[in-house]
């Protein structure tokens, strides 16, 4: 109900289920005597045990009990999130932070081969973000693929003109704007061709045949764009392991950014600040030219997506050098 466009608070309140969750919770509390099934995926499990023994094992009943409370907890979480969003003076950081996500897929491994991993998505509007992406081609995305693809997409969709961002190990190794995808890619790739090998390439515009011809000359893990021309697909689909993703240019944003620490969670509002030329104040005797201002605005956007300490050299709407993640800004500048 709450995902319907224009839904009013009264309609949402009317659609809060009371009886269903109450019966589920009561049945699940009495799991030793009641088999409560809320997920069609569990039908076969229950039927097989009934047919084999005439009963359902206590182990299965406990599993089904757990699934009920997981389900009703998620339902209540969605309700409180919606209601908090309707408050005029909703607290940015509630006293009890409750969030819920839905599993998209389990993965072969995490950041390292010995780690287990899974990918989860928000239950609300995710239009324009990576969980809403459609994979057209290639192998299953890995944990690192998804993390880097998200970094690439978030960076490239911050530009209004045609842009290309190439990500390697969570940082841009090349970024540029141009008249079209081919020019943007050519300029972005020139920044650091070595690091671009095996990178994630993101566009905020259609990928043309000419662009695909240039990309095909290098090794890339993932290409993300709102769309690909048929000519581009004819070329890129020949690369067996290349992942191709399409994501619509939506505007969904996280309401909170979260970072796990040992025994806790750091939470902050997302960095959505967009500096414009009218926000700038010239304090030097020599004023920058309009071209220099444009390059500084470009550099500001790219620096936002690079790990500190960040040094970015730009000219003519392209990165010339990126120094990322160093303890010393001097070392970042040297890089």
């Amino acid at each position: 109900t709450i995902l319907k466009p224009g839904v009013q608070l009264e309609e949402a309140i009317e659609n809060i289920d009371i009886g269903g969750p109450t019966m589920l919770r009561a049945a699940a509390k009495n799991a030793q005597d009641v088999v409560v099934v809320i997920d069609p995926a569990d039908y076969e499990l229950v039927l097989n045990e009934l047919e084999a023994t005439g009963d359902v094992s206590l182990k299965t009943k406990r599993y089904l009990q757990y699934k009920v409370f997981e389900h009703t907890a998620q339902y209540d979480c969605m309700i409180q999130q919606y209601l908090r969003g309707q408050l005029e003076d909703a607290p940015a950081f509630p006293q009890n932070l409750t969030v819920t996500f839905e599993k998209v897929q389990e993965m072969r491994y995490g950041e390292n081969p010995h780690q287990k991993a899974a990918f989860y998505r928000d239950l609300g509007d995710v239009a324009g973000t990576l969980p809403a992406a459609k994979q057209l081609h290639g192998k299953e995305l890995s944990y690192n693929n998804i993390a880097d693809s998200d970094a690439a997409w978030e960076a490239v969709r911050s530009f209004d003109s045609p842009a290309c961002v190439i990500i390697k190990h969570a940082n841009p190794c090349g970024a540029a704007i141009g008249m079209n995808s081919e020019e943007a890619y050519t300029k972005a790739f020139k920044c650091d061709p070595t690091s671009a090998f095996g990178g994630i390439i993101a566009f905020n515009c259609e990928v043309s045949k000419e662009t695909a011809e240039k990309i095909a000359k290098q090794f890339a893990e993932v290409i993300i764009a709102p769309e690909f021309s048929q000519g581009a697909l004819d070329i890129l689909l020949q690369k067996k392991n290349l992942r191709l993703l399409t994501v619509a240019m939506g505007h969904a944003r996280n309401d909170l950014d979260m970072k796990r620490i040992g025994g806790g969670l750091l939470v902050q509002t997302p960095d959505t600040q967009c500096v414009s030329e009218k926000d700038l104040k010239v304090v030097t005797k020599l004023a920058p030219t309009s071209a220099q201002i444009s390059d500084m605005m470009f550099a500001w956007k790219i620096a936002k997506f690079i790990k500190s300490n960040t040094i970015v050299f730009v000219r003519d709407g392209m990165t010339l050098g990126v120094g990322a993640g160093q303890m010393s800004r001097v070392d970042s500048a040297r890089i």
Side-chain angles (χ1 to χ4, degrees):
T1 298
I2 61 176
L3 289 180
K4 292 192 301 183
V7 64
Q8 299 297 309
L9 175 63
E10 292 75 15
E11 183 182 0
I13 294 291
E14 188 63 30
N15 279 275
I16 294 177
D17 191 356
I18 300 299
T22 301
M23 287 191 293
L24 284 171
R25 287 169 57 85
K29 180 180 178 180
N30 196 27
Q32 70 276 9
D33 298 313
V34 180
V35 180
V36 51
V37 188
I38 60 162
D39 186 352
D42 294 320
Y43 289 174
E44 186 175 5
L45 170 66
V46 174
L47 285 171
N48 286 343
E49 290 194 15
L50 285 172
E51 290 172 351
T53 67
D55 198 0
V56 177
S57 67
L58 183 60
K59 177 183 177 182
T60 298
K61 290 176 181 176
R62 293 300 186 204
Y63 164 71
L64 297 172
Q65 178 186 49
Y66 142 75
K67 289 196 70 171
V68 165
F69 285 102
E70 177 190 63
H71 182 80
T72 57
Q74 183 182 63
Y75 186 66
D76 283 341
C77 181
M78 292 169 63
I79 294 170
Q80 64 88 14
Q81 284 181 329
Y82 170 77
L83 294 177
R84 181 160 62 91
Q86 302 303 304
L87 298 176
E88 293 182 7
D89 54 350
F93 306 105
Q95 185 62 35
N96 298 292
L97 180 63
T98 309
V99 295
T100 183
F101 298 89
E102 181 180 60
K103 186 165 69 175
V104 176
Q105 67 186 84
E106 292 193 16
M107 312 183 121
R108 286 184 299 158
Y109 56 87
E111 191 171 2
N112 297 293
H114 61 272
Q115 293 174 271
K116 296 180 179 179
F119 177 37
Y120 288 79
R121 53 159 281 173
D122 278 317
L123 292 181
D125 180 17
V126 294
T129 63
L130 200 67
K134 179 180 179 182
Q135 185 166 349
L136 304 180
H137 179 67
K139 299 186 297 184
E140 183 180 280
L141 291 164
S142 70
Y143 181 97
N144 291 328
N145 286 156
I146 291 177
D148 285 352
S149 295
D150 178 66
W153 180 247
E154 289 299 316
V156 83
R157 73 173 181 149
S158 66
F159 292 96
D160 296 323
S161 54
C164 173
V165 175
I166 305 174
I167 293 284
K168 190 67 173 291
H169 300 307
N171 282 298
C173 61
I177 54 177
M179 297 296 293
N180 49 49
S181 64
E182 181 187 7
E183 182 183 3
Y185 170 73
T186 301
K187 292 165 68 176
F189 183 72
K190 282 182 179 179
C191 177
D192 187 353
T194 300
S195 296
F197 182 86
I200 310 290
I201 308 172
F203 297 89
N204 64 353
C205 56
E206 181 186 78
V207 176
S208 67
K209 176 183 177 182
E210 293 74 20
T211 309
E213 287 173 344
K214 290 190 173 183
I215 295 175
K217 296 176 182 179
Q218 71 160 112
F219 169 62
E221 286 276 2
V222 183
I223 304 176
I224 316 166
E227 55 186 324
F228 295 83
S229 70
Q230 187 56 54
L233 288 176
D234 291 341
I235 295 169
L236 298 175
L237 290 177
Q238 297 180 38
K239 288 188 167 286
K240 181 180 178 181
N241 295 326
L242 176 63
R243 291 93 160 175
L244 299 181
L245 304 180
T246 57
V247 188
M249 292 296 292
H251 298 284
R253 301 283 182 185
N254 294 337
D255 56 347
L256 293 173
D257 282 343
M258 306 177 190
K259 181 179 180 179
R260 285 287 273 149
I261 63 169
L265 186 72
L266 281 171
V267 182
Q268 66 177 350
T269 56
D271 183 4
T272 57
Q273 183 184 24
C274 295
V275 176
S276 64
E277 192 168 339
K278 64 180 176 57
D279 299 318
L280 306 181
K281 180 181 179 182
V282 177
V283 296
T284 53
K285 291 180 180 180
L286 179 62
T289 66
S290 59
Q292 289 170 334
I293 289 287
S294 295
D295 274 344
M296 283 192 280
M297 301 304 295
F298 171 78
W300 184 273
K301 286 188 176 181
I302 292 300
K304 175 180 176 180
F305 296 97
I306 301 172
K307 307 304 180 187
S308 187
N309 275 317
T310 300
I311 298 292
V312 189
F313 289 87
V314 306
R315 186 183 65 207
D316 299 333
M318 64 181 287
T319 52
L320 299 183
V322 177
Q326 302 303 307
M327 290 64 73
S328 160
R329 288 188 178 89
V330 174
D331 289 335
S332 282
R334 288 193 178 115
I335 289 172

